[in-house]
Amino acid sequence: MSKKTRKKSSTKPSKTIARKAAQKATTAKAGRGGSKAPAKPAKKPAAKAGKAVAKKSGKPANSASAKASHTPASKPLKSEQSASPNLAVEGAKAPAFHLPRDGGDHVSLADYAGKKLVLFFYPRADTPGCTREAIDFTRLKGAFAESGTEVLGISADTVKAQESFKNKHELSIPLISDEQHEMLEAYGAWGEKSMYGRTFLGILRTTVLIGADGRVTRIWRNVRVDGHADEVLAAAQAL
């Protein structure tokens, strides 16, 4: 091998070693605070950013959208805040009504102007207590008529149910259907009841006697059926 060839080959390793040393030095310098690679901007997820804002303000991040979609509860109507001025009370004018009755006709308070009127409110047609009560008023219908008094039965049953009830027991008293509870509420015959430990809204057995002047003369609440029709007749005869 010639001297020139040996010299050329001997320089290659030294150059390679020098280049690697330079690279290491550059890396070490960067680690000690030299030139740094440009940091990528950190991106926070939208949810985390929202939480950060919420934490800073002390309010939930979604409070703005919740506030926009929230509808406050409506205020109670005046009629719900206080007793209705039309509620039946003794000595006051009887609340007006106009409702369907058995047979397909309608009946109203105005139909009985100048007459005494008995309204008996019963929970349900063709149940034992209601059947006895309706039969008792039917039995005394002639005596009521002699005293110038008409009698009407009212419940929330349909007209069809009232007709079936009337035909089955041969009742002669007109039966009113108040499915919407308008008359029942006006006369205080709709309210809270309890049975077998359960509380619910329903018809309270009630009877109202209206005088010929259209004013409420007497109200019987929580009626007991036995002997009740006779007691009402006595009160009507005494007017």
Side-chain angles (χ1 to χ4, degrees), residues 73-93:
S74 58
K75 294 181 180 180
L77 300 176
K78 289 183 179 179
S79 59
E80 295 175 343
Q81 293 175 327
S82 59
S84 170
N86 296 322
L87 184 67
V89 292
E90 292 182 0
K93 280 283 186 181

Side-chain angles (χ1 to χ4, degrees), residues 17 21 32-33 37 48 55 81 104 107 111 118-119 123 139 145 148 152 160 178 181:
I17 294 169
R32 290 193 302 270
K48 288 185 178 180
K55 191 172 183 180
Q81 293 175 327
V107 64
D111 297 336
V118 170
L119 305 172
R139 173 176 56 83
L152 297 175
K160 186 177 181 180
D178 184 17
H181 312 152

Side-chain angles (χ1 to χ4, degrees), residues 6-227:
R6 285 199 306 270
K7 188 177 180 180
K8 188 176 181 181
S9 61
S10 62
T11 58
K12 281 185 177 180
S14 60
K15 287 182 179 180
T16 301
I17 294 169
R19 187 165 55 250
K20 287 184 177 180
Q23 288 177 350
K24 286 183 178 180
T26 303
T27 303
K29 189 177 181 180
R32 290 193 302 270
S35 60
K36 296 181 181 179
K40 292 184 180 180
K43 292 184 179 180
K44 292 184 178 181
K48 288 185 178 180
K51 286 182 180 179
V53 174
K55 191 172 183 180
K56 189 174 181 180
S57 62
K59 295 180 180 180
N62 61 349
S63 62
S65 59
K67 187 176 181 181
S69 62
H70 175 67
T71 303
S74 58
K75 294 181 180 180
L77 300 176
K78 289 183 179 179
S79 59
E80 295 175 343
Q81 293 175 327
S82 59
S84 170
N86 296 322
L87 184 67
V89 292
E90 292 182 0
K93 280 283 186 181
F97 58 86
H98 182 79
L99 292 167
R101 55 158 289 186
D102 62 282
D105 293 330
H106 281 70
V107 64
S108 66
L109 180 63
D111 297 336
Y112 300 92
K115 294 182 179 180
K116 291 178 285 186
L117 179 64
V118 170
L119 305 172
F120 71 95
F121 299 87
Y122 56 94
R124 190 172 179 181
D126 207 20
T127 52
C130 298
T131 300
R132 293 203 320 272
E133 185 178 20
I135 289 174
D136 283 346
F137 275 110
T138 292
R139 173 176 56 83
L140 298 172
K141 183 180 179 181
F144 276 108
E146 288 177 4
S147 68
T149 307
E150 298 289 339
V151 181
L152 297 175
I154 306 97
S155 74
D157 295 292
T158 63
V159 171
K160 186 177 181 180
Q162 300 285 43
E163 290 175 347
S164 298
F165 179 40
K166 187 174 184 177
N167 294 334
K168 179 179 179 180
H169 300 284
E170 299 180 348
L171 305 174
S172 59
I173 304 296
L175 302 179
I176 298 176
S177 172
D178 184 17
E179 295 185 74
Q180 302 303 318
H181 312 152
E182 295 174 1
M183 186 180 180
L184 290 164
E185 291 181 16
Y187 281 86
W190 178 265
E192 190 175 280
K193 303 176 69 172
S194 60
M195 184 179 292
Y196 305 118
R198 185 171 63 92
T199 302
F200 57 96
L201 290 176
I203 298 175
L204 308 172
R205 197 182 299 279
T206 305
T207 300
V208 178
L209 174 60
I210 302 172
D213 59 356
R215 293 186 176 276
V216 176
T217 301
R218 187 168 174 187
I219 301 176
W220 289 264
R221 306 284 186 193
N222 302 313
V223 169
R224 287 183 172 274
V225 173
D226 294 338

